[in-house]
Amino acid sequence: MPALITRDLVMLDADLGPDRKDVIRALATSVVDAGRATEVESLFADAWAREQKTDTGLGGGIAIPHCRSASVTEPTLAFARVAPKVDFGGFDGPADIVFMIAAPAGGDELHLQLLAKLARSLVDEDFVAALRSATTADEIVALVERATSDEQAPAPAAAAAAGSSDLPLLVGVTSCATGIAHTYMAADALTNAARKLGAELHIETQGSAGMTPLDPALIARAGAVIFANDVDVRDRGRFAGKPVVQAPVKRGIDHPEDMVREALAAAKDPNAQRVQGAGAAAQSTARATSPGAEIKRILLTGVSYMIPFVAGGGLLIAIGFLLAGIGSGIYGYQVVLPGPGNSTGGLAYNDWAIQNFSLANLPPQGLLFYLGAAAAKIGQLSLGFLVPALSGYIAYAIADRPGIAPGFVVGAVSGYLGAGFIGGIVGGLLAGYTAKLIGRPAVPRWLRGLMPVVIIPLLASIVASGLMILVLGGPIAALTKGLNEALTGLSGGAAIVLGVILGLMMCFDLGGPINKVAYAFAVAGLASGTTASLHIMATVMAAGMVPPIGMAFASTVLYRKGFTQVERENGAAAWLLGASFISEGAIPFAAADPLRVIPSNLVGGAITGALTMAFGVTSRAPHGGIFVFFAIDDFWLWALSILIGAAVTGFVLVGLKRFVGPRAPRTVEEPALASSAQPVAA
């Protein structure tokens, strides 16, 4: 395997210019001159784009500009000891030691592991001192080779697997945009800081060199979690309910002791911010080894990424209705984007096109109608991503980034064929597993860079979308049509039974898998715009609001002395969370007393679901609670259904607390609600 660095890639005490741009360009030039990349400007552009996302200057006068680039043919390190120093955004001043890490677009795992070892060495004071004192390029090369050799001692983050000491126990996750350097440096800096402060910290590095999930037993025992991340934490639900300290990954490198101190304090603070998720019901995906559990993880990933498209699009349509009336959602958008279509209220569609309306040439209905039409059209376009996003991120959960493109393509094909939500799920699974299989065989080095960006997406798109068009699309479309017709025909008792079922699902695990299934079912139907789907959406949102409002009612009004001070504070916050359709507002209560809280929620949710369906309430908004009142027909009946369900929940909970045995004593204080609680499918 070629070396990461050679003497041709080392510059000692060089004046490369006063600006970091000059230094990065000079290092990119040295990589190209060494035959490790094909084009200077392309490599510079990729490194500079990464630099603009986050400063790569670290403490102690070190900078590590880095990137993945299609122009790089071999993972490479270029080194410069610059004089004068150059500002790379380090918290304690400019840098004199600069490592540029250049990785191919599809960098192979072995080289990425070596790069990770080097990044970890940069938090070693002796290693940095040796870099400063070296007098020849050969000394620098030897230092780097020793730092990346297999004889290196294991990183502190990997030590002490069992967590059996009496020290305070913390866990954490680090990750950065490229997964090359900051991920591993932050892990070691935080672990070293914890050791100095008398704590035990176990870090999961979610980087390019692979990931070993934290032991679920460690997570369960940990007092708090540290997230030092520039990208989303994978499988965040494993940490649900834990006190959390979260910051960009660079803070984990620059100020690790501060983060560890904050985590130790959070572990003792019942009001600390906590990881949002499915509460006590959340299970670690690390222990999910059965095929069924793996499929569940994959599907929930797709649904989680799909929800923002639906929530944003649905709310925009609701705003369109508010500004311009229902016409904006059905025909009004033609004012904004004229084109071939049907007539609208006696005015031929082509007449709209001829008028060429704009802010300077408003339609007869005025400005609000025009803005409402624009909002509704943007919302409709956003909802159009529902199935492609679902398919794309299901495929992503299986095959990582190479699965996204074929997943989106097969999702678009599914929508075109009318296969809908079911077709999106089948297509996403097909695209993901196809992409994963195509990426498994070993390929020549010259082909590796093309695999994730060209070959895997191309072949997986052909296979998955081809099968959807030629074989699967027709039968799935027929099934989808039959289900839609069955839902549309529900009335009377059948509709009420459906409302009860949806209410139970929404209130069982408070943002967990069952809750998400019900919510995804509702928003998928919302895109079709049928009356039955609007009934279902109103029912799901109403039922999801019942648990936090019911907990608030019980703890702050009905039976204050039956709840702790922390629970009463949580209850005060739960009023607003419930009104906003954030079901997680009830999680602290369910985690502390599940045998009483969960049945109470189920009774109230079932009643609200039945009443909402019986009243025939509809909602055109997928989220927002009472704040999207303008998108809910028969709003007062809808609100009445919620109030009745929440009151029943509160009374049942108080009755259980008073008459069904004493509550078991707690070993830990209840988690307090964080002010930054985020909705997880409500």
Side-chain angles (χ1 to χ4, degrees), residues 394-475:
I394 285 175
Y396 165 74
I398 298 169
D400 213 328
R401 279 178 285 188
I404 292 179
F408 265 83
V409 172
V410 75
V413 170
S414 177
Y416 170 75
L417 295 174
F421 188 62
I422 299 174
I425 293 174
V426 173
L429 293 170
L430 187 59
Y433 283 114
T434 301
K436 189 174 183 178
L437 287 172
I438 293 171
R440 272 185 179 172
V443 296
R445 190 183 65 191
W446 58 268
L447 195 57
R448 290 174 193 162
L450 292 175
M451 288 294 289
V453 294
V454 177
I455 295 173
I456 294 176
L458 173 63
L459 295 180
S461 295
I462 291 172
V463 172
S465 297
L467 285 173
M468 183 60 67
I469 288 178
L470 300 176
V471 180
L472 300 173

Side-chain angles (χ1 to χ4, degrees), residues 324-641:
I326 196 167
S328 66
I330 298 178
Y331 299 121
Y333 66 84
Q334 297 168 357
V335 176
V336 183
L337 296 175
N342 300 317
S343 63
T344 61
L347 181 61
Y349 192 174
N350 288 338
D351 292 337
W352 290 99
I354 293 169
Q355 291 294 324
N356 193 26
F357 291 120
S358 66
L359 286 172
N361 179 32
L362 293 172
Q365 292 88 344
L367 176 62
L368 288 182
F369 182 90
Y370 183 74
L371 294 178
K377 184 56 183 177
I378 296 169
Q380 288 176 336
L381 292 172
S382 178
L383 283 179
F385 283 99
L386 187 155
V387 176
L390 175 67
S391 296
Y393 288 107
I394 285 175
Y396 165 74
I398 298 169
D400 213 328
R401 279 178 285 188
I404 292 179
F408 265 83
V409 172
V410 75
V413 170
S414 177
Y416 170 75
L417 295 174
F421 188 62
I422 299 174
I425 293 174
V426 173
L429 293 170
L430 187 59
Y433 283 114
T434 301
K436 189 174 183 178
L437 287 172
I438 293 171
R440 272 185 179 172
V443 296
R445 190 183 65 191
W446 58 268
L447 195 57
R448 290 174 193 162
L450 292 175
M451 288 294 289
V453 294
V454 177
I455 295 173
I456 294 176
L458 173 63
L459 295 180
S461 295
I462 291 172
V463 172
S465 297
L467 285 173
M468 183 60 67
I469 288 178
L470 300 176
V471 180
L472 300 173
I476 296 175
L479 174 62
T480 300
K481 181 179 178 182
L483 289 174
N484 288 336
E485 290 175 349
L487 285 175
T488 303
L490 284 178
S491 61
I496 292 173
V497 170
L498 177 61
V500 170
I501 294 171
L502 292 174
L504 292 171
M505 294 177 71
M506 287 300 296
C507 296
F508 178 69
D509 56 357
L510 306 175
I514 296 174
N515 171 286
K516 279 191 173 74
V517 168
Y519 185 73
F521 172 65
V523 297
L526 187 65
S528 68
T530 63
T531 302
S533 66
L534 301 182
H535 289 319
I536 291 170
M537 189 70 253
T539 300
V540 163
M541 183 150 59
M545 296 166 65
V546 165
I549 296 176
M551 296 301 105
F553 178 56
S555 61
T556 65
V557 178
L558 274 184
Y559 189 47
R560 290 177 57 85
K561 67 180 182 181
F563 295 85
T564 66
Q565 177 62 32
V566 172
E567 286 176 327
R568 290 194 292 271
E569 292 173 0
N570 287 339
W575 284 112
L576 179 59
L577 295 175
S580 304
F581 183 35
I582 299 176
S583 300
E584 287 83 351
I587 284 178
F589 298 91
D593 194 11
L595 295 181
R596 293 171 178 79
V597 170
I598 293 176
S600 304
N601 289 337
L602 292 175
V603 174
I607 290 173
T608 293
L611 288 174
T612 308
M613 276 291 190
F615 290 148
V617 181
T618 62
S619 173
R620 295 180 178 85
H623 215 289
I626 64 172
F627 300 103
V628 291
F629 62 90
F630 51 83
I632 300 171
D633 292 335
D634 295 319
F635 172 77
W636 294 113
L637 289 175
W638 182 76
L640 178 63
S641 302

